[in-house]
Each structure stands twice: as C-alpha cells, then as structure tokens.
Amino acid sequence: MYVSVSRLRVPEDRSEELVAAFRDRAGLVDSVEGFVDLEVWRSDKRSEDGQEIWMVSRWDSKEHFTAYMRSPEHRVSHDRVDPDLHRAIRLDRLEQLHDTYEVVAR
C-alpha cells in the first residue's frame, strides 16, 4: 500500500467550497489502475491563515501513483476546480509514506 497525503490550507470562508469540489469530483481516478481510495479530512481547528484540509489517497504502489500524477486524467480533474478557488489553496505539505505497507487489519 502506498499513501500520499496533501496537506492543504484554504481561507476559512472557502473551506466549504473546496470540500464541495472534492465531493463533486470527476471521479476519473476511480478507474485508474492501482487506485485504492481517496479521503478528504478537514481539521476542526481554524487559524488566521485558514483551515487545514488533508487529501489522503491510497495506491497499490508508488508507480501507480506516479503514473496517475502524470496522466491526462489528473490534469482534467484539477482543471475542473474554479481558478479563483485554486489560487486560494495553499499546499502546506505533500507527504508520502516512502515505504510500502501491507494492510493487516480493518
């Protein structure tokens, strides 16, 4: 299992708009080879520089994730986001679990 976490920061008044964009996503990634799932987490803490939202995606392998990030489907998905909202989003950190993990319990 390969995990990617994008830690985003968005002004609090745009937080719901960003969440809605994820809920209304194109879903193109869902049929990409190696994709497992995607969750969007929103922190209940707010600060002067906005609200933190995490996008957590799981993949069969790093190679599948990398291939998707370079794919036309990825570009189409991001191009659907309102440009004004896109400019309001700040990427705080992109983290990847560099090891591959086996899910052993749920």
Side-chain angles (χ1 to χ4, degrees):
M1 185 72 51
Y2 183 77
V3 179
S4 174
V5 179
S6 297
R7 293 174 60 174
L8 310 174
R9 180 131 345 239
V10 65
E12 188 174 344
D13 65 338
R14 307 294 302 266
S15 171
E16 200 55 49
E17 185 180 357
L18 179 56
V19 169
F22 278 115
R23 286 184 179 139
D24 191 35
R25 65 189 180 85
L28 299 176
V29 70
D30 297 346
S31 60
V32 170
E33 183 179 0
F35 175 75
V36 176
D37 63 10
L38 168 68
E39 292 182 329
V40 178
W41 305 347
R42 179 170 43 192
S43 172
D44 61 353
K45 293 183 182 178
R46 292 164 172 82
S47 67
E48 291 178 5
D49 61 339
Q51 192 164 26
E52 190 174 64
I53 295 179
W54 289 21
M55 184 178 70
V56 181
S57 62
R58 297 187 315 148
W59 299 82
D60 286 340
S61 71
K62 180 178 182 178
E63 292 75 24
H64 286 114
F65 171 77
T66 302
Y68 171 69
M69 293 301 286
R70 296 179 178 152
S71 73
E73 292 85 359
H74 180 256
R75 282 188 294 283
V76 167
S77 293
H78 279 252
D79 287 347
R80 293 182 73 240
V81 176
D82 174 64
D84 188 48
L85 175 59
H86 201 274
R87 284 188 294 276
I89 299 167
R90 187 178 86 225
L91 177 63
D92 273 354
R93 185 184 303 165
L94 176 62
E95 302 174 63
Q96 286 133 11
L97 303 181
H98 292 285
D99 296 326
T100 300
Y101 294 85
E102 176 185 2
V103 176
V104 294
R106 289 193 186 209

